[in-house]
Amino acid sequence: LIGQELDDYQETRPLALKLFEQGVSEDVSRNQIQYSPIVRLIKIYTEVGRKDDARDILLKNLKPKSIDYYDQDYQLAMLVQNKFWAAEQFAAMGYPLDALTLYQELSGEDSSLSRAASWNGDSVEGLKRRIATGLNSSIEAVSQTDPDAAMSQLLAVPEELTPGQPVFDLMLSVNPIDAGEYEEMSSRFIKVLQ
């Protein structure tokens, strides 16, 4: 609250920034990122040309944290909601590959989407439409970026590796086989390369 008041005046904005940074640096659970001080901090960072810092804070706070006192389905719904919100922020800040990655993760989480839909008040089909729209706009935005930088980011090995987790995501999608109709396997990675 104090940070919000101080942020309204140019003279006190540096102090507000420090308060927002302090609030975000505390290791507390943020089950809904879009209602936390992170939102304002990202906006301030973006306004002052610190987009990489805004990106780092968003990536750090996307990591799921287990909160024992919440229902598992509710936690999952919040994680899905956070990914949608973060993907929109990444796209707005000019990080279409980060947005693409999140939409790709969401597209492969059918059981998570169905469990999350019951909490979010949306249908699974509605969530899938949002994912498809986000994927298409992210791929379009990536095609307008520096191809060398895009490839470097796509092929970068994560700093923290989790056992059993792939190091490189080919972004493959396999469509369900319905009544003998076969569709080609597709890769959003290949679409980005084209």
Side-chain angles (χ1 to χ4, degrees), residues 81-155:
Q81 189 178 60
N82 284 341
K83 285 183 180 183
F84 273 116
W85 184 82
E88 291 167 2
Q89 299 309 302
F90 285 136
M93 290 189 299
Y95 294 106
L97 278 173
D98 290 319
L100 178 64
T101 301
L102 288 176
Y103 286 123
Q104 177 65 25
E105 287 175 15
L106 286 164
S107 73
E109 298 176 356
D110 282 347
S111 67
S112 297
L113 292 177
S114 63
R115 290 168 61 191
S118 65
W119 282 96
N120 290 341
D122 203 349
S123 67
V124 175
E125 293 76 27
L127 293 175
K128 287 183 176 184
R129 278 192 301 275
R130 283 180 65 191
I131 292 168
T133 300
L135 282 168
N136 290 335
S137 62
S138 296
I139 289 170
E140 177 64 29
V142 167
S143 71
Q144 298 171 13
T145 63
D146 174 25
D148 292 334
M151 285 308 299
S152 294
Q153 186 177 344
L154 278 172
L155 298 174

Side-chain angles (χ1 to χ4, degrees), residues 17-76:
L17 180 60
K18 287 183 183 193
L19 286 171
F20 286 124
E21 289 172 334
Q22 176 82 27
V24 169
S25 69
E26 296 171 4
D27 190 26
V28 295
S29 170
R30 291 181 185 82
N31 57 344
Q32 292 180 293
I33 297 174
Q34 69 269 29
Y35 302 116
S36 75
I38 292 170
V39 175
R40 187 60 192 143
L41 186 57
I42 288 171
K43 186 172 184 201
I44 292 171
Y45 278 166
T46 303
E47 288 172 355
V48 299
R50 293 176 58 187
K51 287 187 348 178
D52 288 341
D53 290 332
R55 176 183 180 266
D56 291 343
I57 283 178
L58 199 47
L59 287 171
K60 177 184 170 194
N61 283 278
L62 271 174
K63 295 178 183 168
K65 296 174 181 124
S66 179
I67 310 165
D68 293 337
Y69 50 87
Y70 284 131
D71 178 77
Q72 218 173 16
D73 285 350
Y74 176 74
Q75 288 183 55
L76 190 59

